[in-house]
Amino acid sequence: MFNLFKRKHKFFTDDENHLIVKAIRHAEEQTSGEVRVYVESKCRFMDAIDRAAELFYKLKMDKTEQRNAAIVYVAVKDRQLAVFGDEGIHQKVGDAYWNEVVAEMLSHFNKDNYAQGIAECVIRIGSALKQHFPYNKDTDKNELPDEIVFGR
């Protein structure tokens, strides 16, 4: 008998998965901003930033009230990554900031510390969001899920 359901490749151990989700939750506790992580095997585009942007809109991350969401995108087998921020946060931090975050994540990846690199990236994004979009207990709500999104 063959299985009609393909088993998804597991990119992270349970501990690594927990580390990343914990980083997302920690980042979002301090800001009205939102951070998502999307991981898949291969990038369908030549440029990972184009894929990150596509996923950003597909996941409706542009619908946050203050346009202050960011996505961390990683294509494991293709060894590509990108960070894409909505216009609210991008106007505050600019291209140089995103390039620094990606460079830091790459330094972890070069040491095969993928989960740690993603978690640290999320924490840095959370710090920028906290600075420009601080948490307000009276008005803030978690607008997007905190779990990692896994593609193919």
Side-chain angles (χ1 to χ4, degrees), residues 34-69:
E34 298 286 333
V35 182
R36 306 258 352 235
V37 173
Y38 192 101
V39 179
E40 63 185 349
S41 291
K42 297 186 176 234
C43 182
R44 298 183 317 138
F45 291 69
M46 293 293 283
D47 190 350
I49 195 72
D50 292 337
R51 178 68 173 146
E54 176 193 47
L55 292 165
F56 184 90
Y57 293 106
K58 182 179 178 182
L59 295 170
K60 300 184 182 347
M61 294 180 69
D62 60 318
K63 305 296 183 199
T64 60
E65 188 176 327
Q66 295 183 35
R67 302 295 302 266
N68 57 355

Side-chain angles (χ1 to χ4, degrees), residues 14-139:
D14 290 341
D15 287 342
E16 290 171 329
N17 189 64
H18 179 70
L19 175 72
I20 295 167
V21 172
K22 183 178 171 185
I24 294 167
R25 290 183 178 147
H26 175 73
E28 291 183 359
E29 287 172 352
Q30 305 175 58
T31 178
S32 62
E34 298 286 333
V35 182
R36 306 258 352 235
V37 173
Y38 192 101
V39 179
E40 63 185 349
S41 291
K42 297 186 176 234
C43 182
R44 298 183 317 138
F45 291 69
M46 293 293 283
D47 190 350
I49 195 72
D50 292 337
R51 178 68 173 146
E54 176 193 47
L55 292 165
F56 184 90
Y57 293 106
K58 182 179 178 182
L59 295 170
K60 300 184 182 347
M61 294 180 69
D62 60 318
K63 305 296 183 199
T64 60
E65 188 176 327
Q66 295 183 35
R67 302 295 302 266
N68 57 355
I71 189 169
V72 177
Y73 170 75
V74 179
V76 177
K77 286 186 180 178
D78 284 345
R79 301 178 56 87
Q80 292 191 48
L81 59 96
V83 178
F84 183 86
D86 207 346
E87 64 185 37
I89 185 61
H90 182 73
Q91 288 173 356
K92 304 281 187 186
V93 299
D95 289 335
Y97 174 79
W98 300 118
N99 291 335
E100 288 172 23
V101 170
V102 167
E104 184 178 319
M105 192 166 41
L106 277 172
S107 72
H108 286 281
F109 282 22
N110 288 336
K111 299 172 192 164
D112 293 331
N113 295 331
Y114 301 105
Q116 186 68 40
I118 293 168
E120 301 250 347
C121 178
V122 167
I123 290 167
R124 277 203 63 189
I125 293 168
S127 294
L129 287 167
K130 176 184 175 183
Q131 179 183 353
H132 299 290
F133 301 94
Y135 178 77
N136 179 333
K137 69 179 172 96
D138 297 326
T139 59

